[in-house]
Amino acid sequence: MSVGVVGGPHHFKWRSYLWLVASTIVLTIVIAEISVSQVSLAVPGRGLIGEIAAATLDTLRRLLAGLFVGITAGSLLGTAMGAVPILDRLLSPPIHALRQVPLFGWIPLIGLWAGLGEPSKVTFVALAVAYVMVLSAHEAIRSISPRLTEVSRALGLDPLTKLRVLVIPSVTPALLAGVRIALAAGWSAVVGAEILMAAAPGLGALIWGAREVGRPEIVVAGSVVVGVLGALSNAGLRSFEQRVLHRYYR
Amino acid sequence: MIAASIELNGVNKSFALNGERIDALRSIDLFARPGEFVCVVGASGCGKSTLLRLILGLDHADAGRVSIDGKPVTAPGPDRGIVFQDHRLFPWLTVSENIALALHASDWDASERRRRVREHIDLVGLGRFGDALPDQISGGMAQRAAIARALVAGPKVLLLDEPLGALDALTRHYLQDELLRVWQAERPTVIMVTHDIDEAVYLGDRVIVMSSRPGRIKKSIDIDLERPRRRDDLRLAALRNEILSLFDWSAIAQQ
Ligand SMILES: Nc1ncnc2c1ncn2[C@@H]1O[C@H](COP(=O)(O)OP(=O)(O)OP(=O)(O)O)[C@@H](O)[C@H]1O
Ligand SMILES: [Mg+2]
């Protein structure tokens, strides 16, 4: 099996991420210190760090909801398209056509359908995630070797055994690679949604709001948090891939 | 293990390819008696793999009957084992796990399964490689693992589709003798497809020559030579020449 799609999970190093995290924490504290000493707090009774932490939680909640919906829906659709050729022929052209709409071009449409509140933000994230997952799941299903499928039939494997020895090992690498890309897409979607859709608590809104009231330290700290969380989640998934699934990458 | 007879009566099989009908097999009659070693030779595309797929139950005949011990074949079953041209081991399972897969539906308990797997790993001479993954062993070893997988459930019928075709001459000779040893130990009925006529006359009790488009049985030639055979036996050379003369070279050249 090819390693190409996943970019070689074997080369991943935790140490470099450790450095990233440590330096970021220091940076954030320094920025926070400066801001606390120089500028009045945006929310009385709550420090900059508290503010960012609260915004981070809101963003994470939204991201997780969008990931859950998007990964589920995208994987199901992609699997169905990979397994049923007629579905593939029916759905592939419209899906690729819709992809021509830039991701953020969906915001006005979603706004029309679902307003600009919480559900439409989650929908937007789910959309970004789902598109990636449709492609990955499709690819994953197609990476099941017809020869091994034939062997499974020749051995008369029952569906559960077939799932265990054929389907799961075959689809997991492509699927996990998809999840990592989806995660990155989800991050930019959630932050973008918080900036472009009606104000809501969250990192994107915090950063954007800070820019408008002239508080660069919040902009910087917020952006750093977004970057670090993105890098960390990617790192977490990679190490998961590496630990649990290295057997399937061959 | 009690071997089984294989019988095909008036079997037709055609495929549609780009709107064109391809007669892969037409009017095939074949009887292999229990324990017999039958080799099948013929030009590429004459329907040899299709024949095996029908006996295995991976595919179904358009007309005619395929039966094992008189019972019609409907689907693959543990009474038949197959070795493909490529080893087709699951790359993420060890050699033992791959072989054990053929026992997943057997009545044997776990310890008996383990015993059988070990026994068959030894039978094909892979004793120390049970825990190796397929890409950690050579092509010839992987093919031997595939043979063990085909045999471990104690099939009455062993189907071989050019199992040694991809190997170098030395390994091939070695595995031919291993195959004979295994066959003599377990005595399944064997149908072996090969493009190597020397291999066919050396191994088979009988060699079936097929012609193509449509795929038919052209002739069946008994190899009435005592075993063990010698590769340099002149009678083998004579039989090989007889079989070669049956090939329709003009038809092959046209392909
Ligand atoms: N699934 C299929 N769909 C369409 N045509 C097929 C299919 N399987 C086999 N055929 C056709 O049937 C004919 C016989 O195929 P088969 O694979 O049995 O040949 P073969 O004798 O095994 O050839 P080779 O020695 O090259 O392996 C070929 O012409 C092939 O194109
Ligand atoms: Mg063939």
Side-chain angles (χ1 to χ4, degrees):
Chain A
M1 181 160 307
S2 122
V3 195
V5 279
V6 291
H10 301 280
H11 305 304
F12 165 74
K13 293 267 186 304
W14 267 111
R15 216 174 295 159
S16 55
Y17 280 94
L18 226 60
W19 180 87
L20 175 68
V21 171
S23 57
T24 306
I25 290 171
V26 171
L27 190 67
T28 311
I29 290 174
V30 168
I31 293 173
E33 281 306 315
I34 296 169
S35 72
V36 168
S37 59
Q38 289 185 343
V39 196
S40 66
L41 299 177
V43 181
R46 220 204 234 174
L48 174 60
I49 289 180
E51 211 175 322
I52 289 183
T56 304
L57 281 183
D58 284 318
T59 298
L60 282 181
R61 201 176 303 129
R62 211 165 277 141
L63 176 67
L64 284 181
L67 279 174
F68 178 75
V69 175
I71 288 177
T72 309
S75 304
L76 287 178
L77 186 58
T79 303
M81 284 168 62
V84 187
I86 183 116
L87 273 183
D88 185 21
R89 259 173 286 148
L90 273 173
L91 295 179
S92 265
I95 284 180
H96 284 281
L98 286 180
R99 183 55 181 170
Q100 299 311 310
V101 180
L103 192 55
F104 289 98
W106 284 103
I107 286 183
L109 261 181
I110 294 178
L112 279 181
W113 291 331
L116 292 172
E118 197 58 27
S120 46
K121 289 196 188 67
V122 172
T123 306
F124 179 66
V125 176
L127 193 72
V129 168
Y131 186 78
V132 174
M133 289 315 294
V134 167
L135 295 190
S136 311
H138 192 194
E139 178 66 30
I141 292 294
R142 279 155 44 121
S143 66
I144 300 178
S145 148
R147 288 156 181 258
L148 291 183
T149 306
E150 199 168 72
V151 170
S152 305
R153 280 184 64 206
L155 294 176
L157 299 187
D158 58 83
L160 267 184
T161 309
K162 197 171 153 183
L163 194 69
R164 180 171 63 82
V165 303
L166 175 68
V167 180
I168 291 178
S170 302
V171 302
T172 305
L175 225 46
L176 268 188
V179 169
R180 270 200 294 122
I181 302 170
L183 197 61
W187 264 113
S188 46
V190 75
V191 173
E194 288 169 356
I195 291 175
L196 294 172
M197 296 168 113
L203 281 171
L206 184 73
I207 295 169
W208 198 246
R211 188 201 69 101
E212 285 179 340
V213 299
R215 294 191 56 189
E217 76 283 0
I218 297 185
V219 175
V220 174
S223 305
V224 167
V225 169
V226 169
V228 168
L229 287 180
L232 272 183
S233 51
N234 186 47
L237 261 181
R238 283 206 127 188
S239 99
F240 176 72
E241 280 180 2
Q242 188 181 26
R243 261 161 232 246
V244 186
L245 303 163
H246 64 97
R247 261 196 133 188
Y248 301 159
Y249 295 99
R250 19 187 98 250
Chain B
M1 174 196 331
I2 314 110
S5 64
I6 303 168
E7 192 166 9
L8 284 82
N9 286 316
V11 165
N12 288 349
K13 178 72 187 175
S14 62
F15 295 101
L17 195 63
N18 305 325
E20 200 189 333
R21 209 178 93 129
I22 294 174
D23 282 311
L25 294 173
R26 188 184 293 171
S27 314
I28 300 288
D29 294 310
L30 171 69
F31 181 81
R33 44 169 216 282
E36 193 176 14
F37 198 129
V38 179
C39 289
V40 179
V41 298
S44 180
C46 71
K48 306 181 294 293
S49 296
T50 306
L51 184 75
L52 293 191
R53 294 172 58 85
L54 292 180
I55 298 172
L56 191 66
L58 279 179
D59 239 326
H60 297 287
D62 300 334
R65 264 171 58 93
V66 179
S67 42
I68 306 287
D69 268 347
K71 283 192 278 299
V73 168
T74 53
D79 58 335
R80 283 150 289 151
I82 188 163
V83 180
F84 296 96
Q85 178 159 9
D86 46 339
H87 59 73
R88 300 201 190 184
L89 299 172
F90 290 88
W92 37 79
L93 300 183
T94 64
V95 166
S96 319
E97 289 167 341
N98 265 292
I99 296 171
L101 215 49
L103 297 177
H104 74 105
S106 70
D107 297 331
W108 291 305
D109 62 23
S111 73
E112 172 62 10
R113 289 185 194 194
R114 271 197 301 278
R115 198 192 62 70
R116 285 195 70 90
V117 168
R118 250 198 317 277
E119 177 187 306
H120 282 82
I121 288 178
D122 289 340
L123 187 74
V124 296
L126 284 179
R128 295 189 301 116
F129 296 94
D131 294 329
L133 290 164
D135 65 355
Q136 293 170 332
I137 57 179
S138 73
M141 291 159 78
Q143 205 54 285
R144 279 186 269 166
I147 293 170
R149 176 175 66 185
L151 285 169
V152 70
K156 300 174 183 172
V157 169
L158 179 61
L159 304 169
L160 304 166
D161 195 352
E162 304 196 31
L164 313 180
L167 305 175
D168 65 275
L170 270 179
T171 312
R172 197 161 63 231
H173 279 190
Y174 175 70
L175 287 188
Q176 284 167 359
D177 290 325
E178 296 241 309
L179 209 53
L180 281 180
R181 200 167 52 73
V182 168
W183 172 62
Q184 274 153 355
E186 309 231 337
R187 280 285 160 183
T189 312
V190 177
I191 309 247
M192 176 174 186
V193 167
T194 173
H195 59 244
D196 181 345
I197 297 172
D198 289 312
E199 179 172 273
V201 293
Y202 178 64
L203 294 177
D205 291 321
R206 188 146 62 98
V207 176
I208 285 175
V209 180
M210 290 183 65
S211 59
S212 32
R213 293 166 205 256
R216 292 175 186 274
I217 292 183
K218 192 165 193 174
K219 194 154 186 203
S220 166
I221 293 154
D222 291 322
I223 312 293
D224 277 325
L225 299 181
E226 65 286 357
R227 297 177 191 269
R229 295 172 182 168
R230 288 174 53 99
R231 289 180 191 277
D232 56 3
D233 192 326
L234 288 176
R235 292 171 297 173
L236 283 182
L239 284 162
R240 180 194 53 199
N241 291 339
E242 180 188 342
I243 290 168
L244 270 174
S245 71
L246 289 169
F247 275 80
D248 181 356
W249 297 105
S250 62
I252 291 169
Q254 271 169 25
Q255 286 188 343

